[in-house]
Amino acid sequence: MFIEINFEAEQPIYSQIVHQIIGGIARNDLSAGESLPSVRALAADIGVNLHTVNKAYQQLKQDGYIIIHRRKGVTVHPDGPPIADEAFIESLKAELMPKVAEAACRNLQQEELMEIVRDIYNSFRGTE
């Protein structure tokens, strides 16, 4: 598995796991229906508490990225991630708002900001 945890980061560990799994799906490193390690196995692999991985998996399940089967284990959702709807777009705006405001306060030009976003998006889609 491709997950690397930065134990010194301000971002919570469960959140790092969530973002890296979503990133893996976005880059097609993880495909629909692909199995993920069990909570116990992933926790052992990356050296974190079981509850941390469980919290990450529950978040991913709630957001529609994975399915957790009692017998089959954890898999990437076979239908792929949910399509962006109005609620997602509103949530995205709310999350981006502080960073865009910070960029504006620091005199980052709109085109520079758009180029950063474009580069990040392209890094997930392999179109750099």
Side-chain angles (χ1 to χ4, degrees), residues 69-128:
H69 301 275
R70 281 184 177 243
R71 296 179 188 249
K72 296 179 184 174
V74 181
T75 59
V76 175
H77 199 294
D79 297 334
I83 301 298
D85 58 8
E86 194 60 38
F88 172 79
I89 292 169
E90 289 304 314
S91 170
L92 180 62
K93 285 180 183 177
E95 290 180 30
L96 289 175
M97 189 87 63
K99 288 298 181 188
V100 172
E102 190 175 350
C105 287
R106 293 173 180 243
N107 291 326
L108 189 67
Q109 298 301 304
Q110 183 180 15
E111 188 52 42
E112 293 173 300
L113 177 62
M114 297 307 293
E115 187 174 328
I116 291 168
V117 171
R118 194 176 307 112
D119 288 347
I120 293 169
Y121 185 89
N122 289 340
S123 74
F124 286 115
R125 292 301 186 189
T127 55
E128 295 180 78

Side-chain angles (χ1 to χ4, degrees), residues 47-86:
V48 301
N49 189 297
L50 295 172
H51 300 294
T52 301
V53 174
N54 191 47
K55 185 174 181 178
Y57 276 6
Q58 290 302 319
Q59 176 76 47
L60 288 163
K61 177 184 172 189
Q62 181 180 343
D63 293 343
Y65 290 98
I66 65 171
I67 293 179
I68 301 173
H69 301 275
R70 281 184 177 243
R71 296 179 188 249
K72 296 179 184 174
V74 181
T75 59
V76 175
H77 199 294
D79 297 334
I83 301 298
D85 58 8
E86 194 60 38

Side-chain angles (χ1 to χ4, degrees), residues 9-27:
E10 291 182 21
Q11 185 181 34
I13 292 170
Y14 87 90
S15 185
Q16 292 181 48
I17 295 169
V18 167
H19 290 157
Q20 289 186 40
I21 289 175
I22 292 172
I25 294 169
R27 284 188 302 275

